[in-house]
Amino acid sequence: MDERNTTRIDIGVCTYRRASLDEALLSLAVLSVPENVDLRIIVADNDKVPSARERVEALRATIPHEIAYVHCPASNISIARNACLEAATGDFLAFIDDDEDASEDWISELLATALATKADAVLGPVRSVYSSTAPDWMRHGDFHSTLPVWVGGEIRTGYTCNVLLRLGSPHVAGRRFNLALGRTGGEDTEFFSEMHGAGGTIAYAENAYVYEPVTENRADLVWLAKRRFRFGQTHGRLLLEKSTGARRLQQIGLAGAKAAFCYAAALACIVIPVTRYRYGLRGVMHSGVVSGLLGIREIRQYGTAEAA
């Protein structure tokens, strides 16, 4: 904090050829900002050409916060996330995706939790917004929303679609996203897992909502299955880095058994769509864990037309 006891928060928005960037930035324009808090927005354009520059310039007059535009070409999401970390000058750095809209109290809720818990990172919930054309089972089961996973009463990893990082923390300062995972995804899981493993703490602000419309191409079982499989691959790769020999074989067997159980449960619940797909997708995730433990390369997620 500076001499005026002002808390400075940067908000990183990584973007790649998305028109929804306008909506995301406009939602930041109407945030409820706590007293003695200054906000600055960092837009990291990950396209080979600076395609988002004109869009950002057109919105400057509408948005009451300073906007820093950074062109970081390569279609590699880790490069864009690292560009936000390097451009950040505040006490905290928040991340929100370019296809999400922040709730009015989003940053206030994240900051309040960070100050109350002294955590190194604070996650918030991502609530999916389905169109009327999405399958009934998908809307009723809410398969796209993002929430933290609790293990033994704590959060051991995180995500970048709704998070606040304490930049002065020794567990955050100098830490960067893995460039090798910038096209497959999983860079955020690794970032937070390693941060936690080094002694960092992760808290949860349950009312710090952001909203993510589920586009037509994502309201699809195949898209969900690919995403769950990649989640599993990332988890399996992280396990692989910490295990060898008999321990690795044991983990492969356990993940395989979990996958088999989930597929069997999905078959048993074949007449109950939400339960069937929930078990089936969980089985796909555990299959991804087996893949990761076997060292199979993770499927590519970023820098493609589908991802855009």
Side-chain angles (χ1 to χ4, degrees):
M1 297 185 188
D2 65 19
E3 296 177 349
R4 295 176 293 115
N5 200 34
T6 296
T7 299
R8 292 170 294 119
I9 303 176
D10 290 306
I11 301 175
V13 186
C14 301
T15 190
Y16 180 78
R17 301 183 186 178
R18 275 203 178 119
S20 58
L21 175 64
D22 289 14
E23 295 287 339
L25 294 178
L26 289 172
S27 75
L28 301 181
V30 294
L31 287 174
S32 174
V33 182
E35 187 177 356
N36 295 326
V37 171
D38 285 342
L39 297 185
R40 184 175 74 123
I41 300 169
I42 303 169
V43 177
D45 187 353
N46 204 208
D47 198 358
K48 292 181 180 179
V49 296
S51 57
R53 187 191 299 275
E54 289 186 8
R55 193 178 297 277
V56 171
E57 293 301 326
L59 289 172
R60 282 191 189 276
T62 308
I63 296 174
H65 313 301
E66 177 187 349
I67 303 178
Y69 172 85
V70 182
H71 183 219
C72 43
S75 302
N76 180 311
I77 192 64
S78 290
I79 291 177
R81 300 206 196 289
N82 290 341
C84 290
L85 282 166
E86 289 156 13
T89 58
D91 303 291
F92 295 91
L93 170 64
F95 276 110
I96 186 172
D97 285 352
D98 62 349
D99 58 347
E100 295 174 342
D101 299 330
S103 61
E104 183 179 347
D105 294 326
W106 172 59
I107 208 71
S108 300
E109 293 287 345
L110 287 176
L111 180 60
T113 299
L115 296 177
T117 63
K118 310 298 182 185
D120 302 290
V122 179
L123 301 173
V126 180
R127 178 174 290 178
S128 294
V129 180
Y130 292 95
S131 70
S132 59
T133 60
D136 288 343
W137 63 265
M138 190 176 292
R139 287 187 285 108
H140 293 157
D142 190 12
F143 284 81
H144 289 75
S145 291
T146 302
L147 297 169
V149 176
W150 295 82
V151 180
E154 64 178 354
I155 303 172
R156 299 182 182 179
T157 190
Y159 42 79
T160 46
C161 47
N162 184 357
V163 67
L164 183 72
L165 296 173
R166 186 183 298 273
L167 294 178
S169 162
H171 306 298
V172 175
R175 190 174 297 280
R176 294 294 182 266
F177 293 89
N178 188 343
L179 298 184
L181 300 179
R183 292 180 183 271
T184 61
E187 79 295 335
D188 49 354
T189 300
E190 180 185 85
F191 181 96
F192 289 104
S193 294
E194 292 184 349
M195 188 200 80
H196 177 270
T201 56
I202 304 173
Y204 178 52
E206 62 180 355
N207 294 316
Y209 285 104
V210 301
Y211 300 94
E212 180 179 28
V214 179
T215 56
E216 185 176 349
N217 69 308
R218 293 186 176 190
D220 177 76
L221 179 60
V222 173
W223 187 92
L224 281 169
K226 286 180 177 179
R227 191 165 181 82
R228 294 291 198 283
F229 188 79
R230 202 274 300 156
F231 285 164
Q233 282 187 304
T234 299
H235 182 62
R237 180 180 53 77
L238 291 172
L239 290 175
L240 177 62
E241 293 173 357
K242 300 176 183 178
S243 62
T244 57
R247 176 61 176 163
R248 178 186 175 190
L249 291 175
Q250 182 184 35
Q251 289 172 330
I252 291 173
L254 179 60
K258 288 180 177 180
F261 171 82
C262 288
Y263 292 137
L267 185 61
C269 299
I270 196 168
V271 297
I272 311 172
V274 171
T275 307
R276 177 178 76 232
Y277 288 121
R278 201 174 297 286
Y279 272 119
L281 289 169
R282 190 158 185 82
V284 169
M285 184 196 70
H286 288 303
S287 297
V289 174
V290 173
S291 172
L293 282 165
L294 291 173
I296 297 173
R297 187 176 180 179
E298 286 159 278
I299 58 176
R300 180 172 172 175
Q301 181 180 356
Y302 295 105
T304 66
E306 191 275 337

